Amino acid sequence: GDHAGQFGWFCKGTMYENSIRVPLIISTSNDLSESGSHTKHVVNNLSLYDTILKFCQIEHTTDTDGRELQPLLREPELDEWSDITYSELPGSCMINNGEFKLIRKSISEDRCVAELYDMGEEVLDGTNLWDRPEFQEQQEELFEKLDNHMSHSNE
């Protein structure tokens, strides 16, 4: 989770992949998955809370944006897994649906800028697709989902 020189930065605190994408390794004492299995599905570190409580068989009522990861541990290529995740930092927010990532940065109270990236590109965050008309549908869909999420998380 550190840029290590990408875009000339040596820090965290952005919505770019070298800042937000971190490896996650889970080792369990039970036979939830085969040794060495991995998945390319999108998950969020908020899911660790729900997952650990489930492993410990602790009931909880806290409403989090996380979800239990056990289904992915059992079946890493699970078709029913939703690859949508969100992230927030002061002044910016992001949605990643596994295919595309939309980043919205606040410039002022009534103005923002947005970036759109294809998550299938070899160089992640390499080409901002925002100005390309052929990606208008993805922009609108992700903006709507991000707005819905942000209004729900601010309640």
Side-chain angles (χ1 to χ4, degrees):
D2 197 356
H3 281 288
Q6 180 194 33
F7 306 121
W9 297 328
F10 290 92
C11 63
K12 294 182 181 230
T14 71
M15 293 297 176
Y16 298 120
E17 291 300 294
N18 279 353
S19 181
I20 61 171
R21 182 182 288 245
V22 293
L24 173 62
I25 299 171
I26 297 177
S27 176
T28 66
S29 60
N30 53 24
D31 291 331
L32 274 181
S33 66
E34 295 180 27
S35 177
S37 63
H38 67 279
T39 185
K40 295 203 183 258
H41 281 296
V42 175
V43 299
N44 191 304
N45 63 1
L46 295 174
S47 297
L48 293 176
Y49 178 75
D50 294 319
T51 302
I52 291 169
L53 290 177
K54 177 77 171 188
F55 275 131
C56 296
Q57 299 176 350
I58 297 172
E59 295 292 325
H60 70 295
T61 58
T62 306
D63 183 26
T64 69
D65 287 332
R67 48 196 165 150
E68 297 169 5
L69 299 175
Q70 284 87 341
L72 280 182
L73 294 172
R74 286 186 190 95
E75 190 179 338
E77 297 308 316
L78 185 67
D79 289 334
E80 294 83 35
W81 187 262
S82 172
D83 281 324
I84 292 179
T85 192
Y86 303 88
S87 188
E88 296 176 56
L89 289 170
S92 63
C93 54
M94 179 272 303
I95 178 174
N96 179 340
N97 70 359
E99 263 188 283
F100 291 93
K101 175 174 62 175
L102 182 134
I103 302 170
R104 182 172 58 200
K105 301 175 191 174
S106 296
I107 302 300
S108 65
E109 236 179 81
D110 59 344
R111 196 174 137 208
C112 70
V113 295
E115 300 171 42
L116 181 71
Y117 295 100
D118 182 344
M119 298 309 296
E121 278 190 331
E122 188 173 316
V123 178
L124 294 175
D125 303 324
T127 305
N128 183 358
L129 305 171
W130 184 256
D131 290 331
R132 298 190 183 172
E134 64 267 29
F135 295 101
Q136 183 69 35
E137 185 178 322
Q138 289 86 355
Q139 293 172 17
E140 291 172 4
E141 176 188 335
L142 292 175
F143 247 119
E144 182 179 340
K145 287 181 179 180
L146 185 58
D147 285 342
N148 287 338
H149 174 77
M150 295 303 291
S151 66
H152 170 71
S153 68
N154 292 329
E155 290 177 353

